[in-house]
Amino acid sequence: MMFRENNDHKQMNLLDNTNWMDPRVAKKFSKTWAPIFYEHVFCKIDEKPFGVLYSDIGCPNFPVNILLGLEYIKHLFNYTDDGLIQNFYFNYLVSYALGVRNLGDKNLAERTLYYFRERVYKYTLEHPEEDDLISQQFSHLTDGFIKACGISTKEQRMDSTLIASNIKKAGRLSLAVDVLEQAVKALPEEILSSSLKEVLTSNFRTNTLYRIKANETASKLGSIIDLIGEVNELITDNPEFASLNAIKILKRFLTEQAEYDTEEKRYKPKDKAEIPADSLQSAYDEDATYRVKGDKRGSGYAVNITETCSESNDTQFITDYDTAPNIKSDVKFIKERLPKITEKTDCEHMYTDGGYYSPEVIELAKEEGVTMHYTDMTGRKPSPDKLSVTDFQFDESSKRIISCPKGKEPIKNTITKDYIAAHFNREICSHCEFKDKCLAKRQKKSYVVQINHKAIVSAEQRVLIKENIKERTSKRAAIEGTNSALKRAHGIGKLRVRSLNKCSIVVGLKITAHNFKRFMMCTFRKAKETMKPKGGGISMPIYQ
């Protein structure tokens, strides 16, 4: 199929339905979301990057801007695929938003939509080092929203939230049965033993999972793992099946959930405590991981979002997002995303919770010209019975300790890669009123204060948090509402797809749709501000 850009919508059409509308209807139509979507999303979609999905020969492709526009509309209104296609055919708002001026002008088969998604998924898998095509469009469209609304990106906030893919939460026994069934079904029946053929019977799952007593679960898990071990041996004798995805999943499950007993020559279930957090959570989604975050726990992924938060903005937009297995820490998220955020925007201040704190993040932020603002910090709190690191005076350039809390200068300073050490007069320190609270330790010739470089950074951050806690908290808090809105309005809490690749793409579509919704409200609000009373009514601009 040959790639061709779609510019047909730019040509005037005398049969355009809007040309024949009653003026009063046309006025109402101009105040809907469709003209705004057409102008600021559909017309701004850059089709060229999608050319890599097609060849140089064959019939022209179905317009990429229509297919991608349909994806945004699907997540904007939470349509099913059937509902989306019906609205494309019979809803003039959807039709107009996608540059089709007469209902029924274009025929769209469901498989065309599915093939487009498949191409995008495959390209992302084959080019993991590149930003996926959906995230590129997100950045491109969001830049347009930000410029059109005059939004400042100097102040931004960041937060992450757990999401689930389209999998059910399964216990170890249920997971083992899923893995076994999937592997057995992938193999030719003629090479299966009689015990493995039993797995294919209709009542195997029922008898294994539902017709057992609570005290029989452990023994049942052992018997299922025996069957999984049998399949593993079968693959050793038939290596041509080792490349099957179902077999790879089985081998992974066996490695993570069982250990081989050399005396009994069989696999036995591991203790729960020995199973890692990144172990297989579903036979149908290899990338999902398990995590406990605060009082929430789940199997799936984490989405990290960044949005503007300047008080001068009429509305706030999400400027960056990232999707990863949910065991990825907030610190790793910000280390990876901060350089990309500063590359795309003029971010100078970042507001986050304590989960994003680390001395390395502070150093990275300084390199990127960003000031970090934390609402709290992770780690052990300093003891109230001891003097703080910040009670000592430091030279900003050399990082040496200038004086102790009592104002006494050290007799010697030592700086290494990991810490700063200052030696103080033993006679003075032994009579100091702060002796029991001080960080100084008595040695043969002097009292020595040894402070880790990271401890200094942490102490300074704690002081800053106390000084501006109200502002930091208020600036960051609203992003919790953004996460909630993404889950409630766009279904990001549990996606209808599986695998990290597909989840990342769907998240990108949903976040772009969410930004458009905010842009639309901003546009309506600005239109109301410019309304002029006329004949007891109001006039609004036509978005065409």
Side-chain angles (χ1 to χ4, degrees):
M1 188 173 289
M2 181 178 64
F3 174 71
R4 186 188 71 176
E5 289 186 73
N6 173 34
N7 294 310
D8 296 347
H9 62 98
K10 295 179 181 179
Q11 289 193 318
M12 296 285 290
N13 186 345
L14 290 176
L15 300 178
D16 187 332
N17 288 162
T18 54
N19 292 334
W20 305 99
M21 283 183 179
D22 182 291
R24 292 165 296 180
V25 176
K27 184 176 180 180
K28 292 176 182 178
F29 179 79
S30 70
K31 300 174 185 177
T32 65
W33 65 271
I36 304 174
F37 187 96
Y38 172 72
E39 180 181 349
H40 295 279
V41 177
F42 183 78
C43 290
K44 302 296 184 183
I45 289 174
D46 185 5
E47 295 182 274
K48 294 185 184 68
F50 292 86
V52 295
L53 306 180
Y54 302 93
S55 65
D56 297 327
I57 57 173
C59 60
N61 62 293
F62 192 89
V64 167
N65 51 7
I66 292 181
L67 291 171
L68 188 56
L70 279 168
E71 294 291 347
Y72 292 141
I73 290 172
K74 173 184 177 177
H75 297 290
L76 183 63
F77 298 108
N78 284 326
Y79 289 144
T80 62
D81 285 342
D82 287 342
L84 180 65
I85 292 175
Q86 281 190 7
N87 275 279
F88 175 67
Y89 285 144
F90 309 118
N91 185 338
Y92 190 66
L93 289 174
V94 172
S95 177
Y96 186 97
L98 299 173
V100 180
R101 295 295 179 261
N102 296 295
L103 289 175
D105 268 5
K106 284 194 178 292
N107 179 55
L108 172 63
E110 285 187 33
R111 64 178 179 272
T112 302
L113 199 58
Y114 301 153
Y115 290 159
F116 175 69
R117 291 172 185 165
E118 185 180 10
R119 287 190 178 98
V120 174
Y121 293 152
K122 284 186 176 179
Y123 184 81
T124 305
L125 281 175
E126 292 167 0
H127 301 83
E129 72 286 348
E130 300 177 13
D131 285 342
D132 66 74
L133 297 171
I134 302 303
S135 68
Q136 290 176 30
Q137 293 299 310
F138 161 80
S139 297
H140 175 64
L141 294 174
T142 299
D143 284 346
F145 298 157
I146 288 172
K147 289 176 183 177
C149 290
I151 300 300
S152 169
T153 60
K154 290 185 177 181
E155 292 182 290
Q156 299 187 44
R157 54 194 172 212
M158 182 181 289
D159 193 28
S160 65
T161 187
L162 301 182
I163 64 172
S165 67
N166 191 21
I167 59 175
K168 65 178 181 180
K169 179 59 181 172
R172 290 182 74 184
L173 180 58
S174 179
L175 175 60
V177 171
D178 288 343
V179 169
L180 176 62
E181 283 185 337
Q182 185 173 252
V184 171
K185 288 176 181 178
L187 298 174
E189 193 170 344
E190 57 268 19
I191 70 170
L192 301 178
S193 65
S194 57
S195 58
L196 291 178
K197 287 180 180 178
E198 282 290 322
V199 176
L200 300 174
T201 60
S202 58
N203 60 351
F204 175 78
R205 172 176 286 271
T206 302
N207 292 337
T208 305
L209 296 178
Y210 309 118
R211 293 180 180 173
I212 62 170
K213 297 178 181 178
N215 58 3
E216 296 175 338
T217 302
S219 61
K220 275 290 184 181
L221 178 62
S223 63
I224 296 298
I225 286 181
D226 283 338
L227 291 173
I228 291 175
E230 187 178 336
V231 174
N232 190 51
E233 291 180 11
L234 192 63
I235 298 304
T236 304
D237 299 330
N238 299 272
E240 64 271 22
F241 301 113
S243 60
L244 295 174
N245 193 53
I247 301 304
K248 292 179 180 178
I249 290 174
L250 179 138
K251 287 181 175 291
R252 176 184 168 184
F253 175 86
L254 206 55
T255 301
E256 294 172 345
Q257 298 271 352
E259 53 190 357
Y260 191 72
D261 189 320
T262 53
E263 293 183 2
E264 297 186 24
K265 296 184 178 180
R266 59 187 286 263
Y267 284 94
K268 289 185 175 181
K270 287 182 179 179
D271 187 84
K272 284 185 179 181
E274 299 178 39
I275 301 172
D278 61 351
S279 64
L280 186 71
Q281 299 296 304
S282 169
Y284 310 103
D285 190 346
E286 302 171 64
D287 302 324
T289 52
Y290 178 78
R291 182 180 178 184
V292 178
K293 185 180 182 183
D295 59 349
K296 298 177 182 178
R297 60 186 66 209
S299 299
Y301 303 94
V303 173
N304 188 79
I305 64 170
T306 307
E307 71 174 357
T308 59
C309 65
S310 175
E311 294 177 0
S312 64
N313 294 337
D314 289 337
T315 189
Q316 311 296 351
F317 289 101
I318 297 174
T319 59
D320 185 76
Y321 72 91
D322 189 24
T323 310
N326 64 15
I327 58 172
K328 186 171 182 177
S329 69
D330 289 345
V331 169
K332 287 185 178 179
F333 269 126
I334 195 169
K335 281 183 178 180
E336 290 180 9
R337 302 312 302 179
L338 191 58
K340 296 182 179 181
I341 292 168
T342 54
E343 182 182 345
K344 294 188 294 184
T345 68
D346 57 353
C347 178
E348 296 178 359
H349 298 272
M350 181 67 71
Y351 295 83
T352 71
D353 60 29
Y356 290 90
Y357 173 78
S358 83
E360 292 82 6
V361 170
I362 299 295
E363 191 61 35
L364 173 64
K366 287 181 180 178
E367 293 173 5
E368 297 293 333
V370 176
T371 302
M372 294 299 301
H373 302 270
Y374 294 101
T375 57
D376 199 357
M377 288 176 61
T378 55
R380 187 173 60 184
K381 305 292 183 183
S383 172
D385 298 327
K386 290 286 186 180
L387 293 174
S388 170
V389 170
T390 55
D391 291 325
F392 289 81
Q393 296 296 315
F394 294 87
D395 180 82
E396 290 186 7
S397 57
S398 66
K399 301 301 181 184
R400 294 175 181 273
I401 296 177
I402 301 173
S403 64
C404 72
K406 287 292 289 183
K408 303 299 181 182
E409 296 182 4
I411 56 178
K412 179 183 177 184
N413 256 301
T414 304
I415 301 178
T416 70
K417 180 182 177 182
D418 299 319
Y419 63 87
I420 298 171
H423 298 254
F424 289 88
N425 185 289
R426 181 175 173 179
E427 186 64 27
I428 295 174
C429 287
S430 61
H431 294 91
C432 180
E433 61 181 294
F434 292 153
K435 183 177 67 173
D436 296 332
K437 291 183 175 183
C438 190
L439 302 178
K441 303 296 181 184
R442 181 178 177 179
Q443 293 188 353
K444 287 184 179 180
K445 297 182 179 179
S446 62
Y447 275 76
V448 179
V449 174
Q450 185 171 301
I451 303 174
N452 190 290
H453 290 300
K454 292 182 179 180
I456 298 173
V457 176
S458 298
E460 290 173 346
Q461 283 299 315
R462 291 189 190 280
V463 171
L464 290 173
I465 289 172
K466 289 180 180 179
E467 290 176 351
N468 303 292
I469 186 64
K470 187 175 181 180
E471 180 191 5
R472 292 162 186 263
T473 302
S474 63
K475 290 260 187 179
R476 196 208 71 86
I479 199 169
E480 301 282 357
T482 302
N483 279 328
S484 178
L486 287 170
K487 290 182 177 181
R488 289 182 290 102
H490 299 286
I492 210 170
K494 184 165 185 179
L495 304 178
R496 296 176 182 174
V497 294
R498 298 166 180 160
S499 83
L500 177 59
N501 172 39
K502 293 181 180 179
C503 286
S504 297
I505 289 171
V506 171
V507 165
L509 293 170
K510 288 181 180 292
I511 290 179
T512 306
H514 180 77
N515 268 358
F516 170 72
K517 186 180 289 186
R518 289 186 171 185
F519 174 75
M520 182 173 60
M521 298 308 296
C522 179
T523 304
F524 285 152
R525 188 162 52 248
K526 289 193 174 185
K528 287 181 180 179
E529 291 172 359
T530 59
M531 289 187 300
K532 294 181 180 180
K534 187 177 180 181
I538 57 174
S539 63
M540 290 183 68
I542 304 294
Y543 300 104
Q544 292 185 7

